[in-house]
């Protein structure tokens, strides 16, 4: 009997696909993360506003924490910049030959912006 | 039983010839293709330079010139009626391929592009002519893919990864084949009205070879075991430009584009051996020249290789010396970029395997075993003939490298292998289907699969301390050393004795794998038994031929001898250590043998 | 060279693919507009990242008030109202469709896909209702 | 130099689960990984099973994962991958034995995109004309050898075997952009469907894996562009 064709999550992760593959994984994770974050947030706010539930307040405590802000901020920033790369390459397929360069360009935009933001968030958290 | 199949026409082998045959046969007969590889893995795919057709897209060219060049290239051993047929058919065949979608490279006018190749000349001026229709340097790849695509389009039935191990002959007619399914080791019996063998070559007999692992001459060996002779097996082409040590082919197209062979002294030595066409002489001539250079100590650094120099500056320098011109009369020049476009795969091979960039560095090359001129004897209708009187075995056809319709004689001209497989593959398909229309199935005996099963069981149950791999290596070495580019009586006798010793040792092999699922070790062993049989036939046929002709360069008889040896060898395998040799005349129509000068 | 062309093909997959890209670009427009105006309106002196994000992406009343600046009247106009509705529509569609793509990657054709799409449609509509309700009740529009 | 080769092993007649065997052998840095495997099969363990034929990257038999990445064993030199080499079968196709996977699903996808020339006009006496530029348009995708290295490197294909995969798209591209072909519309309609090009997330693994250096992601992008614009040039 041949083995089943299934590729496990870990086996897939171990594949050496390089930068673009990791960008895709991060894009999915950040996208799903944002969806979850926004979904819960809206739901909690709704419950608070309509029924005076405590859920909204409880969730807001987590959301206000500086560590969580860093994660959310990274997710949004990465998803946005990586999404822009995908859009540009999809609309101009001729540029796909420079996929590897595009990944480098992407990170060179993300790193300084995210670095600055993290610096601000952390100094603010420590100072305030 | 599910392991019994019936088709009107069976094609064994799915390379160029097999797929071409299948395409044509399936138009009017119930046809199946049996192949030990997925069709697109076939060795046709590695052909590089081009397929010749005198369509003259750049300059005047005629099928008669192609015919004469082929006959001359064959050292007058080719049957001239078949050569003429092939060369006349080739333009139509090439157009047909184009109509099937084959993506040929193009001339500025949008026609099929052509390039010069070894031995292709304008018969009036003696100058090289552009006759090889090409698709960059992957013409064979395109042919194989195109034919496979068309087979899919026409819903041809395929049995992929089925190894045919026996031919069934009933009442003197071909009645089917026996095959083993690689995935399960089950034996399948295929009944058929007509069988077409298109099983390819057997270059794996030699150590340095351009041939695939799969090229083990299965079809010829199967036929031999069923009492069918093999024709002209002593003629095996050594291609002058194989990558040093690996044997991977560097197309003659490189020299067609202007590349030259250089020895240790930096000389272009081919002008001493072939003053007119120089590096574009036919392959046997160039391979021998290389051997002489290396023997006389002019190999690079004294080693057994030479340089193939295709740097633009070298090409342009020698093109100027030769006075080579473009079709419009301007001097011929080439840039690195153009080279990259015309020979992308070659450049990739050199970068991958040698770390050499052909645009800036010369490529180390040596002769490499390349193509079997000999094979299963057939007539012009591709029907297999079984004796020197050309008696046909009804229902059995052969085409492509495994067949010897003898269009290549003593030495094949570059690009003619593709012409051969397209033209004769097509006609094998047409003729077999036509035969099947008027024929009945021969009843198969109950024990049809027994002979095949015996052969495999003998290998499976063999006990001893011999390794298949080791026997293979020893065979390849002795054949390369003694039945190679240059041969001596003593060496050939030695090789023959060694092969017989190896055949004896083969009876004591021991396999590790006793399984049934993809037992590739079992099949490799069976393939080696084929190679050993063919090596024996080759060495025996060569030892008997007391002359030098085409690819058979016998140092003890360095001259061609048309009085005694202008004839085809037929070799039968009769029991142990017994090769029976008989001869049949060469068909000569228009061109009387004369001295061959390039 | 003679130009070859065929009629355009509008398959569900193509439309969703195009939508993901267009909505992605739309989010850039909304976010950058929101961010710019938020900075003009005082965020530059109130550089709290969380606040900035809230302002950028969804400038509704509660978000604005939680930033300690009482500039509520500036936000009460139809422009912000339209921004809010468009943002919520694009964002939830982009997100829901993203989720659909991720799940469908692992699904075959058949009724399962339709059930999933139905469920996601319901979830999306629910999210829209909730968000609209929030805008209505807390948006101070 | 001495090389260790860690090999994925699975023999359905003996093993319940796959495992790894390690072989040690002397090798030259310029040898192919395939040469090493041949030598192991010939001298150390005859049960080691893999496909191979031409041994120089044209036939496409020996695609496998070498050190975690799809490559052809015959186009990977020891010096490219170092002294410790791991070979495993390609992902996403059922493993039959050792390196041998069931290729049928792969060829089924290939066949599903009409990978053959279609032109119903009666052909001229000679060739159909095509300018060098028109020929160049689809040159890249004519190089495909159907080795499956691209398709089996694609996470979308791992997730769902019904996705036609990069290789099938490449082979459709070869005809869609052939100026002589007439069935671009039919092919594009197939590729615009649920298991067509929109499963491509431009992950780029295919392009990195292609032993023929085909710009696969670009080819897929061009197919998407053709669907969107209807232009085939």
């Amino acid at each position: 009997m041949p083995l089943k064709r299934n590729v496990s999550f870990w086996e897939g992760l171990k594949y050496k696909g390089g930068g673009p593959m990791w960008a895709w994984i991060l894009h999915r994770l950040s996208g799903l993360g944002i969806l979850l974050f926004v979904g819960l947030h809206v739901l909690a706010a709704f419950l608070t506003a309509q029924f005076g539930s405590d859920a909204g307040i409880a969730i807001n405590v987590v959301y206000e924490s500086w560590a969580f802000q860093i994660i959310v901020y990274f997710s949004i920033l990465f998803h946005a910049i990586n999404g822009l790369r995908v859009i540009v390459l999809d609309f101009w397929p001729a540029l796909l030959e420079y996929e590897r360069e595009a990944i480098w360009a992407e990170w060179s935009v993300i790193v300084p912006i995210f670095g600055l933001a993290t610096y601000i968030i952390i100094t603010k958290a420590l100072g305030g | 039983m599910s392991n019994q199949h019936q088709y009107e026409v069976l094609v064994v082998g799915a390379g160029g010839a097999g797929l071409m045959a299948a395409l044509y046969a399936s138009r009017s007969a119930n046809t199946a293709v049996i192949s030990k590889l997925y069709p697109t893995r076939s060795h046709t795919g590695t052909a590089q330079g081009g397929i010749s057709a005198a369509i003259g897209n750049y300059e005047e060219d005629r099928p008669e010139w192609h015919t004469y060049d082929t006959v001359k290239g064959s050292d007058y051993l080719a049957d001239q009626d078949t050569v003429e047929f092939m060369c006349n058919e080739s333009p139509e065949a090439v157009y047909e391929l184009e109509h099937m979608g084959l993506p040929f490279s193009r001339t500025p006018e949008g026609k099929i592009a052509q390039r010069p190749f070894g031995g292709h000349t304008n018969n009036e001026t003696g100058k090289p002519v552009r006759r090889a229709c090409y698709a960059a340097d992957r013409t064979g790849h395109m042919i194989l893919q195109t034919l496979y695509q068309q087979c899919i389009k026409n819903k041809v039935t395929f049995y992929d990864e089925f190894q045919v191990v026996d031919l069934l002959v009933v009442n003197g007619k071909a009645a089917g084949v026996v095959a083993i399914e690689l995935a399960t080791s089950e034996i399948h019996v295929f009944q058929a009205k007509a069988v077409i063998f298109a099983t390819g070559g057997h270059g794996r007999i030699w150590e340095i070879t351009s041939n695939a692992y799969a090229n083990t001459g299965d079809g010829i060996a199967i036929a031999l075991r069923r009492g069918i002779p093999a024709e002209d097996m002593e003629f095996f082409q050594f291609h002058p430009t194989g990558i040093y040590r690996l044997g991977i082919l560097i197309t003659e197209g490189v020299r067609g584009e202007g590349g030259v062979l250089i020895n240790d002294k930096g000389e272009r030595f081919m002008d001493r051996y072939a003053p007119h066409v120089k590096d574009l002489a036919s392959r046997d001539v160039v391979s021998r020249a290389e051997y002489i250079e290396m023997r006389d100590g002019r190999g690079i650094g004294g080693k057994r290789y030479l340089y193939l120099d295709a740097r633009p500056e070298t090409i342009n320098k020698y093109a100027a010396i030769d006075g080579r011109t473009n079709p419009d009369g301007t001097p011929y020049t080439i840039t690195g970029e153009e080279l990259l476009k015309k020979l992308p795969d070659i450049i990739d091979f050199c970068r991958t395997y040698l770390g050499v960039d052909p645009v800036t560095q010369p490529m180390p090359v040596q002769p490499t075993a390349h193509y079997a001129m000999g094979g299963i004897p057939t007539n012009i209708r591709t029907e297999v003939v079984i004796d020197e009187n050309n008696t046909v075995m009804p229902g059995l056809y052969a085409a492509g490298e495994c067949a010897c319709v003898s269009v290549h004689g003593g030495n094949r001209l570059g690009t003619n292998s593709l012409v051969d497989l397209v033209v004769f593959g097509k006609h094998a398909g047409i003729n077999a289907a036509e035969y099947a229309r008027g024929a009945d199935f021969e009843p198969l005996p109950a024990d049809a699969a027994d002979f095949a099963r015996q052969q495999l069981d003998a290998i499976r149950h063999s006990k001893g301390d011999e390794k298949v791999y080791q026997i293979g290596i020893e065979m390849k070495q002795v054949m390369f050393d003694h039945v190679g580019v240059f041969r001596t009586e003593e060496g050939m006798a030695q090789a023959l004795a060694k092969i017989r010793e190896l055949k004896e040792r083969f009876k004591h092999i021991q396999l590790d794998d006793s399984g049934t699922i993809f037992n590739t070790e079992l099949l490799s062993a069976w393939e080696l038994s084929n190679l050993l049989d063919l090596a024996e036939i080759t060495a025996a046929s060569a030892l008997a031929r007391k002359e030098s002709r085409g690819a058979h360069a016998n140092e003890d008889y360095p001259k061609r001898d048309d009085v005694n040896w202008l004839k085809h060898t037929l070799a039968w395998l009769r029991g142990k250590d017994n090769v029976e040799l008989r001869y049949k005349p060469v068909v000569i129509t228009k061109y009387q043998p004369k001295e061959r000068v390039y | 060279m003679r130009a070859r062309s065929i009629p355009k093909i509008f398959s569900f997959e193509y439309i969703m693919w195009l939508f993901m890209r267009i909505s992605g670009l739309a989010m850039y427009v909304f976010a950058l507009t929101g961010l710019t105006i938020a900075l003009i309106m005082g965020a530059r002196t109130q550089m709290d990242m969380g606040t900035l994000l809230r302002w950028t992406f969804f400038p509704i009343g509660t978000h604005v008030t939680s930033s300690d600046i009482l500039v509520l009247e500036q936000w009460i106009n139809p422009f912000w109202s339209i921004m809010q509705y468009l943002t919520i529509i694009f964002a939830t569609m982009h997100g829901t469709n993203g989720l659909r793509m991720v799940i469908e990657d692992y699904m075959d054709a058949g009724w399962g896909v339709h059930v999933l799409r139905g469920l996601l449609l319901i979830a999306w509509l629910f999210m829209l209702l909730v968000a609209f309700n929030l805008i209505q009740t807390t948006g101070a529009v | 130099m001495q090389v260790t080769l860690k090999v994925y092993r699975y023999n359905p007649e003996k093993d319940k689960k796959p495992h790894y065997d390690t072989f040690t052998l002397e090798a030259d840095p310029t040898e192919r990984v395939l040469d090493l495997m041949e030598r192991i099969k010939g001298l150390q363990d005859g049960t080691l099973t893999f496909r191979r034929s031409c041994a120089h990257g044209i036939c496409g038999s020996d695609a496998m994962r070498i050190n975690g990445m799809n490559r052809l064993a015959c186009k990977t030199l020891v010096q490219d991958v170092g002294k410790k080499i791991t070979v495993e079968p390609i992902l996403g196709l059922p493993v039959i034995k050792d390196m041998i996977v069931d290729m049928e699903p792969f060829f089924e996808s290939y066949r599903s995109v009409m990978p053959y020339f279609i032109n119903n006009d009666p052909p001229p006496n000679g060739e159909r004309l095509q300018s060098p530029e028109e020929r160049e348009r689809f040159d890249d995708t004519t190089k495909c050898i159907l080795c499956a290295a691209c398709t089996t490197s694609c996470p979308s294909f791992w997730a769902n075997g019904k996705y036609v995969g990069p290789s099938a798209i490449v082979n459709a591209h070869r005809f869609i952009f052939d100026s002589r072909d007439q069935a671009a519309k039919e092919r594009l309609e197939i590729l615009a469907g649920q298991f067509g090009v929109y499963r491509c997330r431009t992950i780029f693994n295919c392009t990195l894996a292609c032993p023929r250096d085909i710009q696969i992601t670009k080819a897929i992008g061009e197919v998407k562009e053709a669907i969107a614009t209807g232009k085939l040039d």
Side-chain angles (χ1 to χ4, degrees):
Chain A
M1 273 285 286
L3 294 174
K4 289 206 177 83
R5 67 169 293 278
N6 299 8
V7 181
S8 72
F9 180 72
W10 291 112
E11 211 162 6
L13 269 193
K14 275 194 297 183
Y15 186 85
K16 287 213 175 68
M21 181 173 117
W22 284 104
W24 165 74
I25 292 171
L26 282 179
H27 195 77
R28 291 216 142 170
L29 291 177
S30 58
L32 291 174
I34 294 165
L35 191 68
L36 190 72
F37 157 74
V38 173
L40 285 177
H41 180 60
V42 171
L43 197 66
F46 174 70
L47 293 177
T48 310
Q50 291 296 313
F51 309 111
S53 151
D54 293 342
I57 295 154
I59 280 186
N60 272 342
V61 172
V62 179
Y63 286 0
E64 307 265 310
S65 76
W66 62 271
F68 191 81
Q69 282 187 14
I70 290 179
I71 294 171
V72 171
Y73 191 65
F74 178 79
S75 297
I76 292 173
L77 183 67
F78 180 84
H79 200 84
I81 305 285
N82 189 58
L84 193 63
R85 173 186 66 94
V86 171
I87 291 169
V88 168
L89 294 179
D90 271 350
F91 284 178
W92 290 277
L95 297 176
L96 275 164
E97 272 182 52
Y98 306 101
E99 172 94 21
R100 264 162 286 202
E101 289 81 353
I103 294 284
W104 283 110
E106 175 185 337
W107 283 106
S108 64
V109 174
I110 291 174
V111 169
I113 299 182
F114 181 64
L116 182 69
T118 311
Y119 173 77
I120 294 170
I121 291 172
I122 291 178
T123 47
K124 177 117 184 165
L126 293 179
Chain B
M1 222 169 87
S2 65
N3 289 357
Q4 304 276 343
H5 313 267
Q6 198 184 57
Y7 292 94
E8 285 179 305
V9 177
L10 277 179
V11 181
V12 182
L19 294 178
M20 199 76 185
L23 264 184
Y24 281 88
S26 64
R27 286 182 185 173
S28 61
N30 185 15
T31 303
V33 184
I34 310 175
S35 168
K36 68 172 171 178
L37 303 168
Y38 279 104
T40 52
R41 316 292 184 226
S42 304
H43 204 55
T44 299
T46 62
Q48 298 167 352
I51 173 170
S52 272
I55 53 177
N57 278 351
Y58 289 104
E59 61 230 331
E60 192 192 357
D61 197 6
R62 300 179 199 159
E64 300 94 86
W65 296 351
H66 188 187
T67 306
Y68 172 70
D69 287 340
T70 304
V71 170
K72 180 184 173 193
S74 80
D75 224 349
Y76 296 92
L77 191 69
D79 288 331
Q80 296 180 8
D81 54 341
T82 60
V83 177
E84 195 174 340
F85 175 74
M86 178 180 82
C87 296
N88 287 337
E89 288 273 310
S90 82
E92 197 197 316
V94 165
Y95 288 138
E96 251 172 90
L97 287 174
E98 201 280 336
H99 298 155
M100 290 178 193
L102 195 141
F104 283 108
S105 296
R106 298 287 165 160
T107 69
E109 300 85 53
K111 293 182 183 174
I112 296 170
Q114 294 182 285
R115 62 160 59 115
F117 239 73
H120 295 289
T121 59
N122 175 320
N123 287 182
E124 279 158 13
T125 63
K127 286 210 164 151
V129 68
R130 294 172 183 80
R131 187 179 291 148
C133 308
Y134 66 92
D137 56 355
R138 33 180 171 262
T139 316
H141 167 81
M142 301 299 194
I143 289 179
L144 187 66
Q145 296 282 334
T146 302
L147 292 177
Y148 184 57
Q149 291 155 1
Q150 290 298 309
C151 283
I152 291 175
K153 186 179 181 186
N154 293 313
K155 301 201 163 51
V156 174
T157 309
F158 282 98
Y159 289 88
D160 294 335
E161 301 197 318
F162 276 60
Q163 170 76 61
V164 169
V165 278
D166 191 20
L167 167 72
L168 298 174
V169 181
V170 178
N171 300 328
K173 299 177 188 170
V177 299
V178 179
I180 175 171
E181 183 177 0
L182 268 59
T184 59
S185 290
E186 276 175 37
I187 300 281
H188 292 250
V189 176
F190 291 83
Q191 191 181 22
K193 292 178 181 174
V195 176
I196 302 170
F197 268 28
T199 57
H202 50 271
R204 279 277 150 184
I205 292 178
W206 283 271
E207 186 187 5
I208 305 290
T209 177
S210 66
N211 279 206
Y213 280 106
N215 289 20
T216 52
D218 305 340
I220 307 173
I222 290 168
L224 278 169
R225 286 181 200 134
R226 285 295 183 184
I228 296 162
E231 183 177 344
D232 289 343
M233 290 292 281
E234 65 271 40
F235 294 100
F236 199 92
Q237 180 168 77
F238 286 78
H239 194 290
T241 55
I243 290 181
Y244 179 49
R245 291 198 308 168
L246 294 172
I248 297 167
L249 197 69
I250 295 181
T251 175
E252 202 163 306
V254 172
R255 282 171 286 140
E257 300 297 346
V260 291
L261 289 160
I262 303 282
N263 66 16
D264 195 39
K265 290 182 167 169
E267 295 173 326
R268 175 202 207 179
F269 56 85
M270 275 316 294
D271 49 10
R272 280 189 272 121
Y273 299 89
H276 296 295
V277 291
K278 297 168 185 154
D279 293 275
L280 284 176
S282 78
R283 290 174 180 173
D284 57 334
V285 174
V286 182
S287 285
R288 272 197 293 278
E290 288 182 357
Y291 245 75
I292 293 168
E293 290 295 309
M294 295 190 288
R295 191 176 56 194
D296 296 350
R298 291 192 293 274
I300 305 300
K303 289 194 187 146
R304 300 193 64 76
Y305 67 91
L306 294 147
Y307 278 142
L308 173 59
D309 195 338
R311 293 176 290 184
E313 60 267 32
T314 313
I315 291 179
N316 295 340
K317 174 179 147 197
Y318 286 105
I321 292 173
D322 295 347
R324 188 172 167 183
T325 55
N326 291 318
D328 60 5
T330 54
Y332 178 87
T333 56
I334 199 162
T335 63
E337 215 165 275
E338 287 166 334
L339 209 59
L340 196 66
K341 222 171 221 167
K342 283 181 167 173
L343 304 164
D345 281 11
I346 297 302
I347 288 169
D348 179 46
F349 293 152
C350 289
R351 286 176 181 163
T352 305
Y353 297 111
L354 297 167
V356 162
D357 188 342
V359 180
T360 56
Q361 289 162 287
M363 302 166 255
V365 294
Q366 75 180 126
T368 178
H370 184 52
Y371 186 87
M373 270 73 76
I376 305 169
T378 72
N379 61 21
I380 195 167
R381 290 175 45 80
T382 68
E383 295 161 320
V384 171
V385 297
I386 52 173
D387 58 24
E388 64 275 33
N389 303 318
N390 289 325
T391 309
V392 168
M393 176 181 273
L396 186 59
Y397 297 78
E401 190 175 348
C402 76
C404 180
V405 56
S406 207
V407 283
H408 308 308
N411 171 63
R412 173 172 73 78
L413 222 53
T415 73
N416 269 354
S417 62
L418 294 178
V419 183
D420 176 5
L421 61 84
V422 169
V423 169
F424 290 105
K426 169 180 164 181
H427 286 280
I430 293 170
N431 295 337
E434 189 191 304
Y435 170 83
R437 258 201 303 285
D440 289 319
F441 286 103
E442 294 293 326
L444 294 183
D447 60 352
D450 278 12
F451 185 51
R453 207 171 267 132
Q454 274 165 27
Q455 290 180 44
L456 294 169
D457 283 348
I459 295 170
R460 259 191 209 119
H461 302 136
S462 163
K463 295 267 173 281
D465 51 8
E466 293 288 350
K467 286 242 175 226
V468 173
Y469 184 79
Q470 189 58 36
I471 294 177
I473 284 190
E474 289 181 34
M475 170 191 72
K476 287 167 190 170
Q477 261 167 5
V478 74
M479 288 299 284
F480 198 71
D481 291 346
H482 296 304
V483 198
V485 175
F486 276 105
R487 301 159 175 185
T488 63
E489 296 233 301
E490 195 196 342
M492 287 185 282
Q494 234 179 60
L496 190 57
K498 176 78 179 177
I499 297 296
R500 285 177 174 152
E501 178 209 315
L502 291 173
K503 280 181 90 166
E504 201 50 45
R505 281 168 57 190
F506 184 78
K507 291 174 185 159
H508 308 289
I509 54 165
Q510 174 85 50
L511 300 189
D512 294 339
D513 196 340
S514 57
T516 57
I517 297 175
F518 277 100
N519 190 336
T520 53
E521 193 188 23
L522 171 71
L523 291 160
S524 299
W526 182 77
E527 287 170 342
L528 179 65
S529 75
N530 298 342
L531 288 173
L532 284 167
D533 281 353
L534 299 188
E536 184 182 10
I537 293 266
T538 303
S541 301
L543 183 58
R545 187 173 278 272
K546 302 203 183 309
E547 65 157 349
S548 289
R549 180 188 297 273
H552 176 66
N554 186 337
E555 289 192 275
D556 296 315
Y557 302 90
K559 284 261 172 338
R560 196 174 81 196
D561 178 358
D562 288 332
V563 177
N564 297 305
W565 287 101
L566 186 57
K567 55 189 181 185
H568 296 293
T569 309
L570 289 176
W572 282 262
L573 203 60
R574 307 258 197 233
K576 183 176 170 287
D577 288 3
N578 188 0
V579 176
E580 185 186 334
L581 298 173
R582 287 190 234 163
Y583 296 90
K584 69 173 184 183
V586 174
V587 179
I588 290 171
T589 55
K590 290 184 188 153
Y591 309 104
Q592 286 306 314
K594 57 182 179 188
E595 209 198 333
R596 193 161 151 249
V597 185
Y598 280 103
Chain C
M1 217 149 77
R2 102 202 116 93
R4 294 162 67 238
S5 63
I6 55 152
K8 290 179 193 174
I9 298 167
F10 291 98
S11 68
F12 176 75
E13 272 73 20
Y14 164 58
I15 291 165
M16 292 321 269
W17 174 84
L18 193 63
F19 170 76
M20 283 307 264
R21 273 132 195 90
I22 289 171
S23 58
L25 288 175
M27 309 277 274
Y28 261 96
V29 174
F30 297 138
L32 291 179
T33 314
L35 182 66
T36 312
I37 300 178
L39 284 170
I40 292 169
M41 294 200 310
R44 61 189 184 284
T45 57
Q46 277 286 329
M47 280 293 251
D48 173 280
M49 272 297 157
T51 313
L52 201 56
L53 277 180
R54 283 195 289 271
W55 283 29
T56 306
F57 286 102
F58 201 52
I60 67 169
T62 48
H63 281 172
V64 178
T65 49
S66 68
S67 62
D68 304 336
I69 321 171
L70 294 170
V71 285
L72 213 53
E73 62 279 6
Q74 291 189 34
W75 294 84
I76 306 169
N77 60 49
F79 172 77
W80 285 114
S81 197
I82 291 166
M83 279 281 285
Q84 285 163 19
Y85 281 107
L86 284 178
T87 306
I88 200 76
I89 290 169
F90 274 102
T92 50
M93 271 177 90
H94 188 95
T96 315
N97 191 50
L99 184 63
R100 180 191 69 83
M101 282 164 63
V102 173
I103 298 173
E104 277 188 23
D105 265 4
Y106 296 87
M107 290 178 73
D108 287 344
W111 58 270
V113 170
H114 296 289
V115 171
L116 172 85
R117 287 177 186 174
L119 285 176
L120 284 174
L121 188 69
I122 292 166
W124 173 61
L125 289 173
F126 175 71
M127 212 141 86
L128 270 191
L129 282 178
V130 169
F132 286 179
N133 174 271
L134 275 176
I135 299 170
Q136 291 295 333
T137 53
T138 68
V141 178
Chain D
M1 67 191 210
Q2 205 165 54
V3 173
T4 53
L5 205 70
K6 190 174 149 199
V7 188
Y8 176 103
R9 302 301 303 270
Y10 174 68
N11 179 353
E13 290 174 295
K14 285 186 185 152
D15 309 327
K16 282 210 177 78
K17 275 197 299 189
H19 62 278
Y20 288 84
D21 279 347
T22 306
F23 300 95
T24 310
L25 70 168
E26 275 299 314
D28 213 47
T30 56
E31 273 189 293
R32 297 165 277 201
V33 172
L34 182 66
D35 297 331
L36 271 52
M37 294 179 72
E38 273 293 318
R39 215 149 60 232
I40 290 170
K41 185 175 178 66
L43 298 171
Q44 297 191 26
D45 183 354
T47 63
L48 179 63
T49 307
F50 48 91
R51 293 189 178 101
R52 85 283 189 265
S53 188
C54 81
H56 65 283
I58 298 295
C59 78
S61 300
D62 60 348
M64 51 188 83
R65 256 181 308 155
I66 300 175
N67 286 1
M69 192 184 169
N70 282 4
R71 309 171 199 248
L72 296 182
C74 61
K75 261 195 125 174
T76 309
L77 305 188
V78 172
Q79 64 193 14
D80 302 336
V81 285
K83 284 183 181 175
K84 286 197 170 151
I85 305 170
T86 308
V87 290
E88 296 159 297
I90 45 181
L91 290 167
L93 294 168
V95 175
I96 299 175
K97 184 180 177 186
D98 295 352
M99 291 312 126
I100 295 191
V101 296
D102 181 4
M103 295 291 283
E104 191 41 40
F106 172 79
F107 280 104
E108 204 182 308
S109 297
Y110 168 71
R111 289 191 295 266
S112 75
V113 298
M114 309 165 74
Y116 36 77
F117 184 71
I118 296 174
N119 184 327
N120 295 321
D121 298 341
N125 276 330
E127 62 269 64
R128 288 193 165 95
L129 297 182
Q130 180 171 53
S131 72
E133 296 74 38
E134 287 170 329
R135 168 64 181 76
E136 184 61 27
R137 179 67 190 84
F138 62 99
D139 184 64
D140 202 35
T141 44
T142 62
K143 299 191 303 202
C144 175
I145 55 175
L146 299 172
C147 67
C150 57
T151 295
T152 60
S153 75
C154 174
S156 291
F157 176 76
W158 299 337
N160 193 330
K162 289 221 172 121
Y163 170 40
V164 294
S167 172
I169 301 172
V170 160
N171 282 284
H173 178 284
R174 177 248 170 275
F175 291 101
I176 290 167
F177 294 98
D178 186 335
S179 60
R180 302 166 298 166
D181 187 89
Q182 296 176 333
K185 183 169 170 281
E186 288 78 359
R187 290 192 195 94
L188 287 172
E189 272 166 0
I190 297 168
L191 292 178
Q194 197 189 347
F195 297 106
V197 284
Y198 296 108
R199 295 233 161 192
C200 167
R201 316 276 186 232
T202 45
I203 300 167
F204 208 60
N205 277 4
C206 53
T207 311
L208 293 173
C210 180
R212 303 281 286 162
D213 292 330
I214 300 172
Q215 289 292 334
I216 302 176
T217 319
K218 184 180 167 197
I220 299 175
E222 288 170 351
V223 170
K224 287 176 183 164
E225 195 181 24
I227 291 171
T229 62
K231 290 201 182 85
L232 301 177
D233 297 311

